[in-house]
Amino acid sequence: MGLTPLFLAGMSGGVVALLLTVFGGGGSVLAVPLLLYVVGVRDPHVAIGVSAAGVSLNALTALAGQARAGRVRWPCATVFAVTGAAAAWVGSSVAKAIDGRHLLLAFAVAMAMVGLAMLSSRKGDGDPGVRLNRDMAPRVAASGAGVGVAAGFFGIGGGFLIVPGLMWATGMTLAAAQATSLLSVAAFGASTAVNYSLSGLVDWTLVGAMTVGGAAGTVAGLPLASRLGADVALGRRLFAGLILVVAAYVAVKAIIGG
């Protein structure tokens, strides 16, 4: 493999990690299109496998930053991540058996759902000091399993579903959910990547390049996340618009077989 694909993979990892750090979700959905149409990966299954591994490692980097800031609610994060990772294995197993073009078309639909979800406003009200309890645990586990299946099937981190899932199941604030979601993003991606790797569908050289780029993207994203303030809502809308445009492009390419 030449240096150009590795450089492009690194740049792609940087973009994904920056968006993941700033917006707490949504960025990972761009990883597959970037690998297919910028880096030049030909097999959609390989793109999903590489994406899952790269997003998982990038999420760990972002998680470390959020953990140092004390924003992660670890008990809730752990239950959500464990049940969801098992479900992600199931979802990724189903996806491996689907034709690449059909999988891309379904992926385009998922991208559109991500974009539309990001356009909807989410309130930040909630309990900033929420603690996992016996009554809450079943909701957290069930929500994690449902999101995990979708994340595994599409090879995405699923942050756009994890954040509202955590808020619904626990009553935590939006900021806490965005930070806490990163453990699940990492776990879901790892489960999917291992499953794809067992079928020889992960190019670890590209994963390494994405990880290096992702570390730089996270470093750039952390100060941006704290400085955007009120402008983050506008940024999310613009980002959502970009995702919808890319979703349309992926759908057209899947339909015409390009």
Side-chain angles (χ1 to χ4, degrees):
M1 180 180 294
L3 292 177
T4 299
L6 293 178
F7 173 77
L8 293 174
M11 294 294 293
S12 298
V15 170
V16 169
L18 186 147
L19 294 172
L20 184 65
T21 304
V22 173
F23 298 112
S28 62
V29 81
L30 290 178
V32 170
L34 285 169
L35 284 164
L36 287 171
Y37 308 123
V38 175
V39 180
V41 174
R42 294 184 178 276
D43 186 345
H45 292 98
V46 173
I48 288 177
V50 171
S51 167
V55 166
S56 176
L57 292 170
N58 288 343
L60 284 176
T61 306
L63 177 65
Q66 296 287 7
R68 283 195 296 270
R71 301 188 184 104
V72 181
R73 304 297 177 259
W74 288 105
C76 296
T78 301
V79 172
F80 200 102
V82 169
T83 57
W89 186 279
V90 176
S92 57
S93 296
V94 174
K96 287 194 299 183
I98 295 178
D99 174 76
R101 285 178 62 186
H102 294 157
L103 187 59
L104 276 183
L105 194 55
F107 188 86
V109 173
M111 287 192 71
M113 291 174 61
V114 173
L116 293 173
M118 292 188 72
L119 286 174
S120 63
S121 59
R122 292 185 294 193
K123 294 182 178 179
D125 298 336
D127 180 5
V130 66
R131 293 179 180 273
L132 185 69
N133 56 49
R134 190 175 302 174
D135 294 332
M136 185 191 299
R139 293 199 305 272
V140 176
S143 183
V147 174
V149 169
F153 183 85
F154 295 111
I156 58 178
F160 77 103
L161 290 174
I162 297 169
V163 170
L166 282 168
M167 293 176 70
W168 168 79
T170 68
M172 68 175 61
T173 63
L174 174 60
Q178 287 176 333
T180 302
S181 72
L182 291 168
L183 179 62
S184 292
V185 172
F188 297 176
S191 176
T192 302
V194 170
N195 198 351
Y196 272 75
S197 179
L198 292 175
S199 300
L201 295 172
V202 177
D203 185 327
W204 290 104
T205 306
L206 290 178
V207 172
M210 287 189 72
T211 303
V212 172
T218 298
V219 170
L222 285 171
L224 278 177
S226 61
R227 292 176 186 172
L228 279 177
D231 292 336
V232 72
L234 174 61
R236 283 183 67 87
R237 287 194 292 270
L238 293 174
F239 180 32
L242 171 63
I243 289 176
L244 290 172
V245 171
V246 176
Y249 179 80
V250 172
V252 170
K253 295 287 281 186
I255 291 170
I256 66 175

